[in-house]
Structures are given as C-alpha cells and as structure tokens.
Amino acid sequence: MQLTRNISFEEMTLTGHRKYLEKNRVEGERLIGTLKATAQMLQRVRNNWDKPLIIHSGLRCKALNRVIGGSKLSQHCKGEAADFHIIGVEHKEVFEWIWKESGLKFGQLILEGFVADKPSWIHLSLGSPFRSASKSGQVMTWSKSEGYKVLDRGVNHPTTS
C-alpha cells in the first residue's frame, strides 16, 4: 500500500529483525493515519532532491524497540518517526535543509549514528499536534562517543507555530 507517491506502508514498517516484522505490520495497520503523516513529511524531503529516500527504521512495535535499545518514549513506536537517508546526497546537506529551509513542522531532527566521523542516518519525527509545541523543532546530533548535542532547543524555532 502506498502512503505517498514514493513511500509505502511496507517501507515504513520494515525491519531486519524478521521475528518482529508481522507484529510491526499489524501495529502499522492500527496507526495508518500517523504513518501517512510521517510519510508525507518524508515525501517533502524526498521531493526536494527527487532521489530515492531509504528508510532505515520507521515504525517499531514495542518489542522491537526494546530489542534494539530504543527510548521507551520513542516516537517510532507511534509511527511518528523515521530514520533515513537520501541516495547520493550528503546527510549533513539534507539535515541542514530540513532544519533551516524546509519549513517542515518537525518534532525532532537528529543527525545520528556516526561511523568514522560520518553520520549514518537522519532521524525525523512529527511535531505539533503529535508532539507538544514546546517539544517541537528540536535539532540535535548524536554519536556514540559524545551522546546528544543540542543545536536548537526548538522553543523559538519557526517550525513550532
């Protein structure tokens, strides 16, 4: 099932942990509205470059989230977040565009998973009304060695209105 022109339900619920795939898809059917909203936000990012967007992690059922060590409050568990990259575009360029130019009303934007000083993916989650306006527009980086580094707390971020 297509959620947007280029993003499918299957992509948003896919996991390499095969044991949890069916549970993820069943949970996804219950959260179809939120998955569509997340996919629409990702589609806007994809449209800017007109190149394939690869989803590393979309929806995570609670059992899957526990296994991978995700936050208990993760928006992935609600279908409100995705980790992704765009083929052929530097992650930092996509990250900067979302943060400073896109006008997207995101909850969190995180440049994550650094390996050899290069980010592995971008985390993007829905903002208000899915997440309180006071917690929308947060911009961070995350690496194993440094943890989270806040670049914009989001309180006065233009995407929180």
Side-chain angles (χ1 to χ4, degrees), residues 12 23-24 27-28 30-31 34-35 38 57-82 123 125:
M12 288 294 294
K23 189 170 185 146
N24 239 26
E27 184 70 10
R30 193 177 69 76
L31 298 169
T34 341
L35 286 173
T38 303
S57 179
L59 176 67
R60 295 182 200 145
C61 64
K62 290 186 184 205
L64 172 61
N65 195 58
R66 260 191 314 275
V67 164
I68 66 160
S71 164
K72 289 179 182 177
L73 302 175
S74 175
Q75 285 184 274
H76 285 278
C77 296
K78 300 174 189 173
E80 299 175 359
H123 169 93
S125 69

Side-chain angles (χ1 to χ4, degrees), residues 76-92:
H76 285 278
C77 296
K78 300 174 189 173
E80 299 175 359
D83 299 337
F84 70 95
H85 78 277
I86 294 183
I87 292 178
V89 184
E90 291 291 326
H91 300 354
K92 182 134 174 109

Side-chain angles (χ1 to χ4, degrees), residues 147-161:
Y148 287 102
K149 180 179 176 186
V150 176
L151 304 178
D152 188 334
R153 295 196 183 283
V155 176
N156 295 313
H157 195 280
T159 62
T160 60
S161 58

Side-chain angles (χ1 to χ4, degrees), residues 3 6-15 38-39 42 52-59 76 81-86 121-122:
L3 299 174
N6 299 106
I7 299 170
S8 70
F9 174 82
E10 290 74 22
E11 289 173 282
M12 288 294 294
T13 57
L14 186 64
T15 176
T38 303
L42 293 171
L53 182 145
I54 306 300
I55 298 170
H56 298 249
S57 179
L59 176 67
H76 285 278
D83 299 337
F84 70 95
H85 78 277
I86 294 183
W121 64 83
I122 298 163

Side-chain angles (χ1 to χ4, degrees), residues 84-147:
F84 70 95
H85 78 277
I86 294 183
I87 292 178
V89 184
E90 291 291 326
H91 300 354
K92 182 134 174 109
E93 180 181 349
V94 175
F95 175 81
E96 292 282 332
W97 178 82
I98 294 168
W99 179 16
K100 297 177 180 176
E101 298 176 42
S102 72
L104 287 171
K105 295 182 184 231
F106 57 84
Q108 289 183 321
L109 173 64
I110 310 171
L111 193 58
E112 293 189 281
F114 284 80
V115 175
D117 295 328
K118 291 194 136 222
S120 301
W121 64 83
I122 298 163
H123 169 93
L124 184 61
S125 69
L126 295 175
S128 180
F130 298 93
R131 187 178 173 124
S132 73
S134 66
K135 292 188 177 184
S136 288
Q138 295 176 336
V139 181
M140 297 178 261
T141 59
W142 182 88
S143 68
K144 192 172 185 175
S145 62
E146 296 182 13

